[in-house]
């Protein structure tokens, strides 16, 4: 009943269901007195649609953190005249007694309740109202459903201390459930008498008693002519159990597997027991004996075992008792047994730990009800993905995604699953993955980060996100990813490696995205978080990747985003800038990132007065001479000063250094740069540069802007010629050439820029008609 992650496009039905559930009020429902959801009176929905609505709702609540559950959701299906339910699968804490109570008038055919720990004996009574129609029922892991609350009599002080007591219900049976064929009572609570409970069922076909210890199973023989499937996972067997099972001659599926780590088992499997099954259970197509120790050797001599082509013919079986099978089994569970490593196994599908196929079969078979086994199987898959190449990549990914979604709160699965995802999504597998599947990976990774503050899970999840193209592939979850990363970076106790990856991801996420994204992330506290990290590194006197990435991230997030620039200044960013320059005078990469960021601040007219202090201006002037990182530091320092000069002499509110002196140093710097420098910079828009062209108040700013354009269109014509033309740069340059105040060399350079662009245009002219 588990939903596998799929790779085909969603059906129209699924898309509509999803849309309706996310917008109940605007589609199927209205709000009564502003709080209760009610179905519109003219709506009539068949069971195909209602079942899907309920099952998808449970899935959404469980796996989508943004989806809000509705208290009155199940009441929408209370009236069978407008909605019909037939087959529903409910899981975990989502379902409470009143939810089942709300749908008690429905004629349910199939009801799966998995690990619904909030259900109590009230729900047992509700089940009775489905008794005349139910064919399949699962109460797997519903550990409180046989408990009711009882008020102790004579309420004195005791009521205050212990107002209600949990009492086991002893008198409930499946009396009246005349159509029930399939029943799963896995992990049923001790003390319930299984025999009495089941006796009224006339013709059971499938029974699952996983995790229950019964010393006497003789009562099973009452269904020897109807029982086709029996699961006794983790039951410690004895000779009596074996004799009873051998009488169930109609069995097609038998599972006596166990978790070999869970406790000490006295019972050991023998050749005689397997022979007994093969002789008596002639219809057997599926057998699971995972986790068993064999008391004696069931295998044939190794010389003979290795001979010939691998075969699934029973006659050639390496496991002697299975030579008596009439045909190969459809499934044979041998996980964590020595038998799975043999050559000739007479089954189409085998679960085991020998190779990828067996491991994937194990994950597939055990995910839903046996997370303890599944996490060990995923661990084996992790080793295969890490060391060899996965040959069934798609299936492996889908199985891991499904396991992570199903067991969101199981730490072992989250650790092993997130580690496996890292290897299954890396670049060598990239081509084989659809957008949809990669999105499903991102969703489960983010779920893991949300549910677990545990270091290993967080690190695995962050590393897996690094396998994606950022920001493009993460854009559909943009807010959420950023919130999770900032949350990691704001934790007081910090794992160094996670911090480094998280800052790297943050930086990549704010690079090349729209300004509204940058503003939103700024409002989330991005600027503050980065400055805190820088502050911490400064205190430790370390300039590492975290320090460099943090400045780089601030450079990216302030790009053409005045709000974020202002935040940088308000949170003492300039003070940190000066302290970093002083503490790390040799760190060129750091200087480049810091000056790039200040260039963004300087582009905002309202903020420039805050840069107008003797200390800052001196620092920028001195950086004009820097040879750090090619021309980048000098170029950015000159850019900052160009914007300040553009405000004119009256805005120069300081005595030292003199404006003319700084202008002179700017000219000297620009003239020292090599026009063919390859650049460490990426302009999405020329607007801030172009605004420096049509003015006479600061010819040096005009010259810096023209130099910048000339360098970019000559070194990267394919990228920057179209951008300059698109943003109307050519007429601005032409007007500037006519200006009297512009310097001759600036005009020369402007002509070359125009020439470059027109040549580029002619070369790329589409002449095909």
């Amino acid at each position: 009943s588990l939903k596998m992650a799929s790779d085909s496009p969603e059906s129209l039905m699924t898309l509509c269901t999803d849309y309706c559930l996310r917008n109940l009020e605007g589609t199927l429902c209205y709000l009564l007195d502003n709080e209760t959801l009610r179905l519109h009176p003219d709506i009539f929905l068949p069971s195909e649609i209602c079942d899907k609505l309920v099952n998808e709702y449970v899935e959404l609540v469980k796996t989508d953190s943004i989806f809000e559950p509705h208290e009155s959701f199940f009441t929408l299906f209370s009236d069978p005249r407008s909605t019909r339910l037939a087959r529903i699968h409910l899981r975990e804490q989502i379902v409470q007694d009143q939810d089942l109570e709300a749908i008690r008038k429905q004629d349910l055919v199939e009801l799966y309740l998995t690990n619904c720990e909030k259900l109590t004996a009230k729900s047992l009574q509700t089940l009775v109202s489905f008794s005349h129609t139910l064919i399949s029922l699962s109460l797997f892991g519903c550990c409180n459903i046989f408990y009711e609350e009882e008020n102790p009599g004579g309420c004195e002080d005791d009521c205050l201390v212990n107002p209600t007591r949990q009492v086991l219900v002893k008198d409930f049976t499946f009396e009246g459930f005349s159509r029930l064929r399939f029943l799963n009572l896995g992990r049923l609570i001790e003390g319930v008498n299984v025999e009495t409970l089941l006796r009224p069922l006339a013709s059971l076909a499938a029974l699952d008693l996983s995790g229950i210890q019964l010393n006497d199973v003789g009562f099973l023989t009452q269904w020897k002519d109807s029982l086709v499937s029996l699961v006794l996972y983790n039951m410690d067997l004895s000779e009596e159990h074996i004799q009873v099972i051998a009488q169930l001659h109609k069995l097609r599926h038998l599972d006596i597997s166990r978790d070999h780590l869970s406790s000490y088992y006295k019972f050991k499997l023998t050749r005689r027991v397997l022979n007994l099954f093969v002789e008596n259970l002639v219809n057997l197509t599926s057998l699971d004996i995972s986790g068993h120790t064999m008391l004696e050797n069931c295998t044939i001599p190794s010389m003979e075992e290795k001979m010939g082509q691998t075969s699934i013919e029973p006659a050639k079986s390496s496991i002697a008792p299975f030579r008596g099978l009439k045909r190969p089994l459809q499934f044979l569970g041998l996980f964590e047994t020595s038998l799975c490593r043999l050559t000739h196994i007479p089954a189409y599908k085998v679960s085991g730990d020998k190779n990828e196929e067996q491991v994937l079969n194990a994950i597939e078979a055990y995910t839903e009800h046996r997370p303890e086994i599944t996490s060990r199987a995923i661990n084996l898959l992790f080793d295969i993905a890490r060391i060899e190449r996965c040959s069934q990549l798609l299936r492996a990914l889908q199985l891991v995604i499904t396991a992570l979604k199903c067991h969101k709160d199981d730490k072992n699965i989250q650790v092993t699953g997130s580690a496996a995802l890292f290897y299954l999504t890396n670049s060598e597998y990239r081509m084989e993955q659809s957008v949809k599947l990669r999105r499903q990976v991102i969703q489960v990774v983010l779920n893991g980060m949300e549910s677990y503050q545990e270091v290993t899970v967080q690190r695995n999840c962050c590393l897996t996100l690094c396998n994606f193209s950022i920001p493009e592939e993460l854009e559909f979850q943009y807010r959420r990813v950023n919130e999770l990363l900032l949350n990691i970076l704001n934790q007081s106790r910090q794992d160094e490696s996670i911090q480094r990856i998280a800052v790297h991801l943050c930086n990549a996420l704010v690079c090349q995205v729209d300004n509204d994204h940058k503003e939103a992330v700024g409002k989330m506290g991005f600027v503050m978080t980065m400055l805190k990290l820088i502050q911490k590194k400064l205190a430790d006197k370390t300039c590492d990747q975290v320090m460099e990435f943090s400045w780089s991230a601030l450079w990216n997030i302030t790009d053409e985003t005045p709000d974020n620039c202002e935040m940088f200044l308000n949170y003492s960013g300039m003070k940190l800038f000066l302290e970093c320059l002083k503490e790390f005078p040799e760190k060129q990469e750091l200087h480049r990132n810091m000056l790039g960021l200040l260039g963004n601040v300087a582009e905002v007219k309202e903020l420039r007065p805050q840069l107008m202090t003797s200390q800052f201006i001196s620092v920028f002037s001195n950086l004009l001479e820097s040879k750090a990182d090619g021309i980048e530091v000098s170029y950015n320092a000159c850019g900052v000063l160009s914007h300040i000069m553009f405000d004119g002499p009256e805005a120069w509110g300081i005595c030292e250094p003199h404006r003319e002196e700084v202008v002179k140093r700017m000219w000297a710097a620009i003239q020292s740069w090599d026009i063919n420098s390859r650049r460490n910079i990426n302009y999405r828009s020329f607007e801030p540069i172009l605004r420096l062209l049509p003015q006479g108040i600061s010819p040096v700013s005009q010259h810096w802007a023209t130099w910048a354009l000339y360098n970019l269109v000559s070194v990267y014509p394919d990228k920057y010629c179209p951008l300059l033309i698109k943003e109307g740069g050519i007429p601005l340059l032409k007007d500037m050439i006519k200006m009297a105040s512009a310097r001759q060399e600036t005009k020369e350079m402007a002509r070359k820029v125009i020439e470059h662009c027109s040549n580029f245009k002619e070369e790329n002219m589409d002449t095909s008609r």
Side-chain angles (χ1 to χ4, degrees), residues 501-532:
I501 307 160
V503 175
H504 161 73
L505 284 166
C506 279
N507 187 21
L509 278 162
V510 289
C511 192
Q512 303 293 304
V513 288
D514 296 340
N515 294 10
D516 51 349
H517 273 333
K518 292 184 183 183
E519 273 171 26
V521 178
K523 288 193 179 78
M524 278 180 214
F526 189 100
V527 177
M528 176 81 120
T529 303
M530 293 303 147
L531 289 170
K532 269 197 211 142

Side-chain angles (χ1 to χ4, degrees), residues 63-66 404 408 414 418 421 438-453 457-458 460-462 464-465 473-485 488 505 509:
T63 59
D64 188 336
S65 63
I66 303 158
L404 283 165
K408 200 171 151 189
Q414 291 299 322
S418 57
L421 280 185
R438 285 179 74 83
R439 284 191 166 192
Q440 286 177 319
V441 172
I442 290 165
Q443 295 275 27
V444 294
V445 164
L446 299 181
N447 286 346
M449 285 169 77
E450 245 152 16
S451 310
Y452 279 90
Q453 297 309 312
V457 176
Q458 297 270 345
N460 292 349
C461 291
C462 284
T464 302
L465 291 179
E473 287 192 280
L474 297 182
E475 199 136 11
F476 80 107
Q477 291 280 296
Y478 197 76
R479 275 197 75 90
R480 191 174 167 212
V481 176
N482 277 295
E483 271 167 4
L484 285 167
L485 292 170
I488 288 177
L505 284 166
L509 278 162

Side-chain angles (χ1 to χ4, degrees), residues 62-119:
K62 200 169 146 17
T63 59
D64 188 336
S65 63
I66 303 158
F67 184 78
E68 284 294 315
H70 293 278
E71 199 140 301
S72 52
F73 179 76
F74 285 89
T75 58
L76 301 177
F77 304 91
S78 56
D79 186 352
R81 287 170 305 183
S82 55
T83 53
R84 290 283 166 88
L85 288 173
R87 298 180 165 78
I88 59 174
H89 301 191
L90 310 178
R91 308 183 69 88
E92 294 169 30
Q93 319 305 337
I94 299 163
V95 195
Q96 307 192 24
D97 291 327
Q98 63 266 29
D99 298 324
L100 274 189
E101 174 73 16
I103 56 171
R104 71 184 184 284
K105 292 184 178 151
Q106 294 286 358
D107 291 337
L108 290 185
V109 175
E110 184 177 289
L111 174 61
Y112 290 159
L113 302 168
T114 309
N115 295 324
C116 299
E117 293 176 5
K118 287 197 173 171
L119 297 182

Side-chain angles (χ1 to χ4, degrees), residues 210 231 233 255 257 288 366-374:
S210 293
V231 179
Y233 170 69
D255 182 343
S257 64
D288 203 329
Y366 309 130
T367 288
E368 171 137 54
H369 293 124
R370 301 177 194 174
E372 60 284 0
I373 306 275
T374 308

Side-chain angles (χ1 to χ4, degrees), residues 83-217:
T83 53
R84 290 283 166 88
L85 288 173
R87 298 180 165 78
I88 59 174
H89 301 191
L90 310 178
R91 308 183 69 88
E92 294 169 30
Q93 319 305 337
I94 299 163
V95 195
Q96 307 192 24
D97 291 327
Q98 63 266 29
D99 298 324
L100 274 189
E101 174 73 16
I103 56 171
R104 71 184 184 284
K105 292 184 178 151
Q106 294 286 358
D107 291 337
L108 290 185
V109 175
E110 184 177 289
L111 174 61
Y112 290 159
L113 302 168
T114 309
N115 295 324
C116 299
E117 293 176 5
K118 287 197 173 171
L119 297 182
T120 71
K122 287 195 185 103
S123 288
L124 279 183
Q125 295 318 308
T126 310
L127 285 182
V128 176
S129 52
F130 308 128
S131 60
H132 56 293
T133 53
L134 264 189
I135 293 174
S136 292
L137 172 66
S138 168
L139 301 177
F140 181 88
C142 298
C143 51
N144 295 310
I145 200 163
F146 279 88
Y147 279 116
E148 63 185 348
E149 294 185 343
E150 179 185 76
N151 256 334
C155 186
E156 292 298 315
D157 301 340
D158 190 36
C159 279
L160 302 171
V161 186
N162 183 7
T164 53
R165 221 171 27 158
Q166 298 289 327
V167 186
L168 199 60
V169 173
K170 293 279 172 66
D171 54 357
F172 177 85
T173 71
F174 285 110
E175 187 69 60
F177 286 73
S178 56
R179 305 181 62 182
L180 198 62
R181 298 284 177 275
F182 304 89
L183 180 60
N184 184 341
L185 294 175
R187 301 212 173 142
L188 186 70
I189 175 87
E190 265 183 49
V192 177
N193 187 323
V194 179
E195 184 176 349
T196 317
L197 186 66
L198 300 181
R199 193 177 294 121
L201 297 174
S203 43
L204 261 188
L207 180 62
D208 187 327
L209 299 172
S210 293
I212 304 172
Q213 191 46 52
L214 296 178
N215 296 327
D216 177 12
V217 290

Side-chain angles (χ1 to χ4, degrees), residues 147-373:
Y147 279 116
E148 63 185 348
E149 294 185 343
E150 179 185 76
N151 256 334
C155 186
E156 292 298 315
D157 301 340
D158 190 36
C159 279
L160 302 171
V161 186
N162 183 7
T164 53
R165 221 171 27 158
Q166 298 289 327
V167 186
L168 199 60
V169 173
K170 293 279 172 66
D171 54 357
F172 177 85
T173 71
F174 285 110
E175 187 69 60
F177 286 73
S178 56
R179 305 181 62 182
L180 198 62
R181 298 284 177 275
F182 304 89
L183 180 60
N184 184 341
L185 294 175
R187 301 212 173 142
L188 186 70
I189 175 87
E190 265 183 49
V192 177
N193 187 323
V194 179
E195 184 176 349
T196 317
L197 186 66
L198 300 181
R199 193 177 294 121
L201 297 174
S203 43
L204 261 188
L207 180 62
D208 187 327
L209 299 172
S210 293
I212 304 172
Q213 191 46 52
L214 296 178
N215 296 327
D216 177 12
V217 290
F219 65 91
L220 292 176
T221 54
Q222 68 180 311
W223 300 293
K224 67 178 193 300
D225 295 330
S226 63
L227 204 61
V228 291
S229 168
L230 178 63
V231 179
L232 305 176
Y233 170 69
N234 264 354
M235 190 180 287
D236 196 10
L237 307 169
S238 65
E239 186 52 41
E240 287 75 33
H241 289 85
I242 298 303
Q243 292 308 324
V244 170
I245 292 169
Q247 293 175 57
L248 307 174
H249 61 101
K250 286 278 177 65
L251 276 187
R252 292 206 291 269
H253 171 63
L254 172 63
D255 182 343
I256 54 167
S257 64
R258 62 192 193 190
D259 174 1
H260 76 109
L261 296 182
S262 68
S263 61
Y264 172 73
Y265 290 104
K266 295 184 285 299
F267 181 78
K268 303 275 190 291
L269 258 188
T270 61
R271 179 185 281 226
R272 184 188 58 79
V273 169
L274 289 181
N275 276 328
L276 193 69
F277 288 165
V278 170
E279 282 162 29
N280 289 285
L281 309 177
V282 291
N283 299 314
L284 210 58
T285 62
S286 164
L287 174 67
D288 203 329
I289 54 173
S290 296
H292 275 279
T293 317
M294 306 301 293
L295 189 61
E296 63 213 3
N297 199 351
C298 283
T299 60
I300 53 153
S302 66
M303 279 298 292
E304 196 184 331
E305 200 262 321
K306 293 276 184 285
M307 279 173 57
Q309 289 288 117
T310 307
S311 166
I312 59 166
E313 282 308 308
K316 293 184 180 167
S317 171
S318 303
I319 306 165
F322 293 151
R323 292 194 158 185
L325 288 168
K326 303 278 180 293
R327 66 196 85 77
L329 294 169
Q330 292 296 323
F331 176 85
L332 178 56
L334 301 175
F335 190 70
E336 296 181 319
T337 67
S338 54
L339 301 177
C340 69
R341 296 195 189 86
L342 297 167
T343 310
H344 308 296
I345 301 177
Y348 293 102
K349 224 175 193 181
V350 178
S351 74
D353 47 32
K354 176 182 172 186
N355 53 29
E356 183 184 349
E357 171 68 20
Q358 286 188 0
V359 168
L360 293 177
N361 290 340
I363 299 172
E364 189 168 14
Y366 309 130
T367 288
E368 171 137 54
H369 293 124
R370 301 177 194 174
E372 60 284 0
I373 306 275

